Amino acid sequence: MAELKAQAPQKQKSLDTRMEEGGVSRRDFMKWSATTAAALGLPLQFAPMVAEAAEVADRVPLIWLHLAECTGCSESLIRADTPSIDALIFDYVSLEYHETLMAASGWQAEENLEHALKTYKGQYILAVEGAVPTANNGSFLTVGCKGHTGLHIIKDAAAGAAAIVSVGTCAAYGGVQAAAPNPTAAKGVDKVISQPVINLGGCPPSEKNIVGTVMYFIMFGRAPALDMFGRPKWAYGARVHDNCERRGRFDAGEFVETFGDDGAKEGYCLYKVGCKGPYAYNNCPTERFNHHVSWPVLAGHGCIGCSEPDFWDTMADFEKPLGRRELHSLDQTADYVGGAILGLTALGLGAHAVASVVVEKKEEANR
């Protein structure tokens, strides 16, 4: 961060000024810094460092590309009904190119992208949203008035990036575009370039995962620890199932049998109606969406495993359990697990009853 402080800011207004204009107090900002540090798995002592990183964020140019996607990841990023520190941070970062948010279009947009790639070579963070079609030399996706393919654009932009972040499952693993039979040969970004890539799985990922990853890079100048699928462990290190508010229902063998039944009304586990939480890794249960308000399981529908590679193929049907298919660490049906738990409970109760009878008979004999 010392190097970033030595660079001239790209914005005229300081972060403090923008926070004041947005109605965010310094105290709220420090609370956000502490929360972000905790989400990143850092000790509380790192909160001031998070704040410092946010204050120098305008020294880090951000180029955001749209390839084969639905723009849902950008919608996740900006989906806030009140001013938030997340929105202020990304308003404050030197956002050089974003086809959805920028005013420029046509030749002016092309000029902006080319200028940013050249001016900030070796300095910018490249965020990519969407899969990369590769069939027919990438001709299934062309962008802009010059008609460059997505394949050409990503290779050109990746060459000068300081860090590359695949935002969402499409960019990370191909997403729905790569689902069988995949006629466009769509692939994740890391499959078409040689540079390291940070994958933020999710359809879409939480805005906290996007902001947190950017903050981590600004603080440490490198990617966070990644799992086997290239995802930050601080966000994707635990199974959805393990932190789910319905986990106790699973352990008790209490399952929703059909949507709308009495179990559904009581908040029973959704495994039997297709929840893929035991097979998916993400922080959805703890971070949630829309300012921590809710997430799919809390709203009444099972997790569909959208943060996992090839989930459109491996997790379908989304409203039926996977059963004994071996994905990650759980390969037994909910019926078996729940039944075994209830069986052990019954066995324990039976053993207690037998022991009680034996004790009573001994006491009678002693009398």
Side-chain angles (χ1 to χ4, degrees):
M1 287 201 293
E3 294 179 6
L4 292 176
K5 287 181 179 180
Q7 298 177 18
Q10 303 296 320
K11 301 291 184 179
Q12 294 181 349
K13 294 182 180 180
S14 67
L15 180 59
D16 287 337
T17 301
R18 287 182 172 269
M19 285 195 299
E20 184 178 350
E21 292 176 350
V24 180
S25 68
R26 185 69 185 180
R27 182 174 182 178
D28 289 336
F29 175 56
M30 293 310 298
K31 285 182 180 178
W32 173 85
S33 300
T35 301
T36 301
L40 290 169
L42 300 173
L44 190 59
Q45 295 91 320
F46 279 82
M49 190 175 184
V50 174
E52 190 178 354
E55 290 168 348
V56 299
D58 67 337
R59 276 77 160 178
V60 183
L62 176 65
I63 296 175
W64 188 295
L65 299 179
H66 291 266
L67 300 181
E69 42 76 35
C70 69
T71 315
C73 299
S74 290
E75 291 288 348
S76 175
L77 177 63
I78 65 175
R79 187 64 63 197
D81 55 2
T82 57
S84 67
I85 188 63
D86 307 66
L88 287 172
I89 288 296
F90 268 85
D91 186 38
Y92 188 60
V93 163
S94 181
L95 184 57
E96 298 297 322
Y97 186 84
H98 190 298
E99 290 159 11
T100 302
L101 303 179
M102 67 187 184
S105 62
W107 292 102
Q108 184 183 5
E110 293 278 6
E111 182 181 352
N112 288 354
L113 177 58
E114 291 171 1
H115 175 268
L117 294 177
K118 181 179 180 180
T119 303
Y120 304 111
K121 185 176 182 180
Q123 302 176 33
Y124 59 83
I125 294 176
L126 177 65
V128 187
E129 183 175 356
V132 187
T134 61
N136 294 349
N137 294 319
S139 61
F140 285 98
L141 173 68
T142 57
V143 181
C145 51
K146 292 186 177 180
H148 287 317
T149 65
L151 185 61
H152 168 86
I153 294 171
I154 185 59
K155 287 185 176 181
D156 187 38
I164 304 170
V165 182
S166 289
V167 183
T169 295
C170 292
Y173 311 118
V176 66
Q177 290 74 233
N182 192 9
T184 67
K187 298 179 180 179
V189 171
D190 61 357
K191 296 296 189 294
V192 299
I193 62 174
S194 58
Q195 295 90 336
V197 177
I198 304 170
N199 290 327
L200 301 182
C203 190
S206 163
E207 72 278 6
K208 300 296 187 298
N209 293 352
I210 303 171
V211 173
T213 299
V214 173
M215 288 296 101
Y216 190 100
F217 180 79
I218 291 175
M219 285 190 290
F220 301 108
R222 56 182 173 82
L226 306 177
D227 68 7
M228 62 187 292
F229 296 124
R231 302 172 299 196
K233 288 184 177 180
W234 67 264
Y236 301 89
R239 288 191 306 173
V240 170
H241 180 68
D242 295 334
N243 292 316
C244 178
E245 59 266 19
R246 299 178 188 243
R247 174 61 191 266
R249 300 291 192 176
F250 177 90
D251 293 340
E254 297 173 338
F255 300 99
V256 174
E257 300 292 340
T258 58
F259 288 108
D261 65 11
D262 290 339
K265 296 174 184 177
E266 293 294 328
Y268 284 9
C269 176
L270 297 165
Y271 185 92
K272 286 189 177 181
V273 287
C275 184
K276 306 305 187 294
Y279 312 96
Y281 289 76
N282 208 332
N283 56 5
C284 299
T286 53
E287 289 300 319
R288 300 182 179 179
F289 292 84
N290 297 324
H291 287 196
H292 304 279
V293 172
S294 188
W295 67 296
V297 172
L298 181 59
H301 194 282
C303 167
I304 63 173
C306 68
S307 57
E308 301 306 305
D310 305 318
F311 85 97
W312 286 102
D313 297 320
T314 60
M315 299 293 182
D317 184 326
F318 294 133
E319 296 184 349
K320 292 181 180 178
L322 288 178
R324 296 179 180 273
R325 291 178 59 180
E326 295 185 2
L327 287 177
H328 297 310
S329 59
L330 188 68
D331 63 351
Q332 296 175 322
T333 64
D335 283 323
Y336 179 84
V337 175
I341 292 170
L342 293 177
L344 290 172
T345 302
L347 181 61
L349 291 173
H352 176 73
V354 171
S356 298
V357 171
V358 172
V359 170
E360 287 178 2
K361 287 185 176 181
K362 284 186 176 181
E363 289 178 350
E364 290 178 0
N366 292 331
R367 290 174 187 172

